[in-house]
Amino acid sequence: MFRLDTDPTLLLESEERRQLREVLRELLKETCGPEEVRKQATGPRGHDRLLWERLAGEIGVQALAVPEEFGGAGYTFAELAVALEETGRVLCPAPLLPTVVLAGHTLLRSGDRQACQRWLPGIADGSLTATVAGFPQAANVTAERGAGGWVLRGEADFVLDGEGADLILVAAEAPDGTRLFACEPDHGTGTGTRTGTGPGVGSGTYERVARRVLDPTRRQALVRFRGTPAEPVGEAGQAAAIVAAVLDAGRVALAAEHVGGSAHALDAVLEYVRHRTQFGRPIGSFQVVKHRLADLLVDLEGARSASAYATACLAGGRAELPVAASSAAVACSGAYRLATAEYVQLHGGIGFTWEHPAHFYVRRARADEALFGTADDDRLRLAGLLGLTGRTNGAIRTNRASRTD
């Protein structure tokens, strides 16, 4: 039985987090306006490398949830969630989700001190970007021992930041079961076949092909491994538990981003309806508009509460994290969907234009809905976790095309 309680103080924003939010908001206001985001998303790397370095050097965002022994600041996910909410508010294309949340949590959860000492300092100081493959979406990757060590063969599709990440952590089928492996491609970007070399394990080839996705601010790629050198991370038999825990961290991170994006949409709509006039009065004075905005505010506050609770569970290592993570995923994705719909509709005709930023938020909301499983998947998972169905393992399916029910 899950105990759905926690220390109430963990749900409150401390003075330190409030200051972090203010500093971040000021930096992102300067560097991530709508036009800047558009340029970054369509650039060769998909984000502004200078901004990535400023986030690390001036504020230490990437280091927030990394332990001090591995070069981090030693805070918790509660501080990182503040950064995720603020970057989600402006759709910052920086790869915080794949690098800091997914890859960072994978390394920490593995308990592999050698791997953590090798790669976490680079994540913390912003010199390394990373991602995971075969986690949200199943991958067809096998690992075998070559003459000089482990090599990977197969492919993983829709890998977040897979085109440019410096480090890829892969869930692959080895002779002793599913295991995690670390692969370091070269630091180039683009598509085509390139040769990668791992320390002491010879060389192999790989291919990274950018996918055309709905949300241009969150790039994904197909990664093919062709005898690519890799190193095992953690022990055999750990992979399933690590992947499940990392996906919950991903759900909580997305929830924080969605709260930020929903808050931006509400603020933008409020500003517009105050000044847009119709029949000689601001459209915000019309009763129907007031009702719609009130509904949006209620959903946003519910999402904010769900996100705060899930963040507290993750930061505190609480056993009820799976329930809190899926609950936050349902509440926050629903609020984001409503917020982006109202963002477009209450702006009238201009909300549908390419020049207006609203469509970027619509794209982010729709694409994120299925990133770690849809809301329906999370509802089914919750039913199993709470004993309402026969499904108790919490497994979900992220590919709707594979459904038979």
Short mmCIF file of all heavy atoms in Angstrom, two decimals, residues 39-40 65 69-70 87 113-114 140 146 159 191 263 340 347-348 364 398:
data_model
loop_
_atom_site.label_atom_id
_atom_site.label_comp_id
_atom_site.label_asym_id
_atom_site.label_seq_id
_atom_site.Cartn_x
_atom_site.Cartn_y
_atom_site.Cartn_z
N LYS A 39 15.42 30.44 -33.99
CA LYS A 39 16.74 30.33 -34.61
C LYS A 39 17.52 29.15 -34.05
O LYS A 39 18.16 28.40 -34.79
CB LYS A 39 17.53 31.62 -34.38
CG LYS A 39 17.01 32.83 -35.15
CD LYS A 39 17.79 34.08 -34.81
CE LYS A 39 17.23 35.31 -35.52
NZ LYS A 39 17.97 36.55 -35.14
N GLN A 40 17.44 28.97 -32.74
CA GLN A 40 18.17 27.86 -32.12
C GLN A 40 17.63 26.51 -32.61
O GLN A 40 18.40 25.60 -32.93
CB GLN A 40 18.05 27.95 -30.60
CG GLN A 40 18.76 29.13 -29.97
CD GLN A 40 18.51 29.20 -28.49
OE1 GLN A 40 18.38 28.19 -27.81
NE2 GLN A 40 18.42 30.43 -27.96
N ALA A 65 21.52 18.79 -9.48
CA ALA A 65 21.13 17.51 -8.86
C ALA A 65 22.23 16.46 -8.93
O ALA A 65 21.99 15.29 -8.65
CB ALA A 65 19.86 16.98 -9.53
N GLU A 69 30.48 14.74 -4.92
CA GLU A 69 31.60 13.84 -5.18
C GLU A 69 31.83 13.60 -6.67
O GLU A 69 32.91 13.16 -7.07
CB GLU A 69 31.38 12.50 -4.48
CG GLU A 69 30.16 11.74 -4.95
CD GLU A 69 29.99 10.42 -4.24
OE1 GLU A 69 30.97 9.65 -4.16
OE2 GLU A 69 28.88 10.16 -3.74
N PHE A 70 30.83 13.91 -7.49
CA PHE A 70 30.96 13.75 -8.94
C PHE A 70 30.99 15.10 -9.65
O PHE A 70 30.63 15.21 -10.82
CB PHE A 70 29.83 12.88 -9.48
CG PHE A 70 29.78 11.51 -8.87
CD1 PHE A 70 28.61 11.03 -8.29
CD2 PHE A 70 30.90 10.69 -8.87
CE1 PHE A 70 28.55 9.77 -7.72
CE2 PHE A 70 30.86 9.42 -8.30
CZ PHE A 70 29.69 8.96 -7.71
N THR A 87 12.76 26.72 -18.05
CA THR A 87 13.12 26.43 -19.45
C THR A 87 11.89 25.99 -20.24
O THR A 87 11.75 26.29 -21.43
CB THR A 87 14.22 25.37 -19.54
OG1 THR A 87 13.83 24.19 -18.81
CG2 THR A 87 15.54 25.90 -18.96
N ARG A 113 30.31 3.51 -9.82
CA ARG A 113 31.08 4.68 -9.42
C ARG A 113 32.09 5.08 -10.50
O ARG A 113 32.34 6.26 -10.73
CB ARG A 113 31.79 4.43 -8.10
CG ARG A 113 30.85 4.31 -6.91
CD ARG A 113 31.64 4.25 -5.61
NE ARG A 113 32.47 5.42 -5.43
CZ ARG A 113 32.03 6.58 -4.94
NH1 ARG A 113 30.76 6.70 -4.57
NH2 ARG A 113 32.86 7.59 -4.80
N GLN A 114 32.67 4.09 -11.16
CA GLN A 114 33.64 4.40 -12.20
C GLN A 114 32.98 5.18 -13.34
O GLN A 114 33.53 6.17 -13.84
CB GLN A 114 34.28 3.12 -12.73
CG GLN A 114 35.36 3.37 -13.78
CD GLN A 114 36.03 2.09 -14.24
OE1 GLN A 114 35.77 1.02 -13.68
NE2 GLN A 114 36.88 2.18 -15.23
N ASN A 140 16.08 -2.14 -30.86
CA ASN A 140 16.56 -3.43 -31.33
C ASN A 140 18.08 -3.39 -31.37
O ASN A 140 18.70 -3.26 -32.42
CB ASN A 140 15.97 -3.73 -32.71
CG ASN A 140 16.40 -5.08 -33.24
OD1 ASN A 140 16.74 -5.98 -32.47
ND2 ASN A 140 16.40 -5.23 -34.56
N GLY A 146 33.52 -8.33 -28.59
CA GLY A 146 34.40 -8.36 -29.74
C GLY A 146 35.81 -8.67 -29.31
O GLY A 146 36.07 -9.01 -28.15
N VAL A 159 15.57 8.84 -30.60
CA VAL A 159 16.44 9.10 -29.44
C VAL A 159 16.52 10.60 -29.24
O VAL A 159 16.92 11.34 -30.15
CB VAL A 159 17.84 8.51 -29.68
CG1 VAL A 159 18.76 8.84 -28.50
CG2 VAL A 159 17.75 7.00 -29.91
N THR A 191 24.09 13.99 -40.33
CA THR A 191 23.74 12.61 -40.62
C THR A 191 24.87 11.96 -41.38
O THR A 191 25.85 12.59 -41.76
CB THR A 191 22.46 12.56 -41.45
OG1 THR A 191 22.69 13.23 -42.69
CG2 THR A 191 21.31 13.22 -40.74
N ALA A 263 1.84 27.98 -17.67
CA ALA A 263 1.84 29.30 -17.04
C ALA A 263 2.12 30.40 -18.06
O ALA A 263 1.50 31.47 -18.04
CB ALA A 263 2.87 29.35 -15.92
N THR A 340 -2.53 25.28 -24.21
CA THR A 340 -2.08 25.61 -25.56
C THR A 340 -3.26 25.79 -26.51
O THR A 340 -3.20 26.61 -27.43
CB THR A 340 -1.13 24.52 -26.10
OG1 THR A 340 -1.76 23.24 -26.01
CG2 THR A 340 0.16 24.49 -25.30
N HIS A 347 -6.44 33.92 -29.01
CA HIS A 347 -5.74 34.92 -29.81
C HIS A 347 -6.40 35.11 -31.17
O HIS A 347 -5.94 35.93 -31.97
CB HIS A 347 -4.26 34.53 -30.00
CG HIS A 347 -3.38 35.01 -28.90
ND1 HIS A 347 -3.27 34.37 -27.69
CD2 HIS A 347 -2.55 36.08 -28.82
CE1 HIS A 347 -2.42 35.02 -26.91
NE2 HIS A 347 -1.98 36.06 -27.57
N GLY A 348 -7.44 34.34 -31.44
CA GLY A 348 -8.15 34.50 -32.71
C GLY A 348 -7.28 34.10 -33.89
O GLY A 348 -6.47 33.18 -33.82
N ARG A 364 4.92 21.41 -28.78
CA ARG A 364 5.58 20.82 -27.62
C ARG A 364 4.58 19.99 -26.79
O ARG A 364 4.88 18.87 -26.37
CB ARG A 364 6.20 21.92 -26.76
CG ARG A 364 6.76 21.48 -25.40
CD ARG A 364 7.96 20.55 -25.53
NE ARG A 364 9.14 21.23 -26.00
CZ ARG A 364 10.04 21.83 -25.22
NH1 ARG A 364 9.86 21.84 -23.91
NH2 ARG A 364 11.12 22.39 -25.75
N THR A 398 4.37 2.38 -25.11
CA THR A 398 4.47 3.73 -25.64
C THR A 398 4.18 3.79 -27.12
O THR A 398 4.13 4.88 -27.69
CB THR A 398 5.90 4.27 -25.40
OG1 THR A 398 6.84 3.40 -26.04
CG2 THR A 398 6.21 4.32 -23.92
#
